[in-house]
Amino acid sequence: MNEQDKLKKAVGEKAATMVKDGMKVGLGSGTTVYWMIRSLGERIQKDGLKIEGIPSSNQTAIWAEEAGIPLTDFSHVKELDITIDGADEVDANNHLIKGGGAALFREKVIAQAAKEFVIIVDQSKIVDTLGEFSLPVEVLPFSWHRTANEISKLGCVPTLRVNEEEPLVTDNGNYILDCPFKVIPFPDKLNKEIKSIVGVIETGLFIDMVTTVIVGEKDNINIK
Ligand code: 5RP
């Protein structure tokens, strides 16, 4: 395991300790969340931890089932106690860019539904200002050319995310536009501008949603 993976594992395991008996848990997506899910699975097997999870992607649902985490959905649960997820960038105000794994829409749903929203990242994700990571935006396939053109007026040239030369289709049946703004000085404003474009399903900007960020640093876990 390389150094970055060790940090991902460490923060994933740390976040799993925040989950208590009886909690409804939002399960994010990505390689850092994988370690958190494994750790929760171990606590279920060894300590009899009783929880239910709502997964943010089909891949997360598979990992959760393998780990023995019982799953539920929003027809049974109004509010989550805690959601734990990764991120692609975390800025000085704990605003985020997410969606590197194309799961941003459901991730935002489980983030908004939770009393506590905990982000787990290795130190490479910490930035002063968002934007170096191209902003993922989930869009309706029907109008994606037009939506991309409208987003380009806000200062970037979006590209359609592809998988083996075909458009990547999200778990919701939509497309992802990757938007290289380079610098996003006013993320709240940009989020509102992009969301006002018809055809945009959701953006990967998570503004004022986070309660805790757990950062894996060399020889240390920093909580902010
Ligand atoms: C998926 C996400 C992930 O949380 C983000 O891409 C971080 O992933 P990883 O933990 O693999 O670095 O937003 O849509």
Side-chain angles (χ1 to χ4, degrees), residues 8 29-33 85-88 98-104 107 125:
K8 290 182 178 194
S29 296
T31 54
T32 317
V33 162
D85 203 349
D88 299 300
K98 287 184 50 53
L104 64 95
E107 288 172 342
K125 308 290 185 65

Side-chain angles (χ1 to χ4, degrees), residues 12-20 36 39-40 43 84:
E13 288 172 352
K14 178 77 182 170
T17 67
M18 298 173 76
V19 176
K20 311 287 181 228
M36 187 273 296
S39 189
L40 284 180
R43 290 184 58 205
I84 302 171

Side-chain angles (χ1 to χ4, degrees), residues 62-95:
I62 291 167
W63 287 339
E65 274 163 8
E66 284 169 0
I69 301 173
L71 297 179
T72 184
D73 59 48
F74 285 111
S75 68
H76 296 96
V77 171
K78 282 203 184 75
E79 190 179 52
L80 297 166
D81 296 289
I82 189 169
T83 283
I84 302 171
D85 203 349
D88 299 300
E89 284 186 348
V90 182
D91 79 3
N93 297 309
N94 286 349
H95 302 323

Side-chain angles (χ1 to χ4, degrees), residues 182-198:
K182 297 292 177 201
V183 185
I184 304 177
F186 304 108
D188 192 26
K189 180 169 176 280
L190 182 66
N191 189 46
K192 286 180 180 138
E193 286 170 341
I194 298 176
K195 290 262 331 213
S196 73
I197 299 168
V198 177

Side-chain angles (χ1 to χ4, degrees), residues 74-203:
F74 285 111
S75 68
H76 296 96
V77 171
K78 282 203 184 75
E79 190 179 52
L80 297 166
D81 296 289
I82 189 169
T83 283
I84 302 171
D85 203 349
D88 299 300
E89 284 186 348
V90 182
D91 79 3
N93 297 309
N94 286 349
H95 302 323
L96 315 173
I97 286 184
K98 287 184 50 53
L104 64 95
F105 175 73
R106 295 190 196 186
E107 288 172 342
K108 204 176 267 192
V109 173
I110 62 166
Q112 195 180 55
K115 287 186 246 178
E116 269 189 279
F117 180 37
V118 178
I119 286 298
I120 47 177
V121 286
D122 67 84
Q123 59 196 7
S124 70
K125 308 290 185 65
I126 303 297
V127 298
D128 291 331
T129 308
L130 299 177
E132 184 60 36
F133 189 93
S134 288
L135 175 66
V137 177
E138 183 157 347
V139 299
L140 200 70
F142 169 75
S143 48
W144 80 264
H145 295 90
R146 196 188 130 62
T147 308
N149 194 41
E150 291 297 304
I151 292 176
S152 73
K153 294 178 189 167
L154 300 172
C156 72
V157 180
T159 55
L160 181 68
R161 196 179 297 183
V162 293
N163 183 22
E164 294 176 2
E165 295 179 27
E166 291 297 320
L168 180 140
V169 179
T170 70
D171 289 349
N172 313 306
N174 298 313
Y175 290 170
I176 296 285
L177 295 175
D178 288 305
C179 303
F181 283 98
K182 297 292 177 201
V183 185
I184 304 177
F186 304 108
D188 192 26
K189 180 169 176 280
L190 182 66
N191 189 46
K192 286 180 180 138
E193 286 170 341
I194 298 176
K195 290 262 331 213
S196 73
I197 299 168
V198 177
V200 168
I201 307 292
E202 194 47 81
T203 85

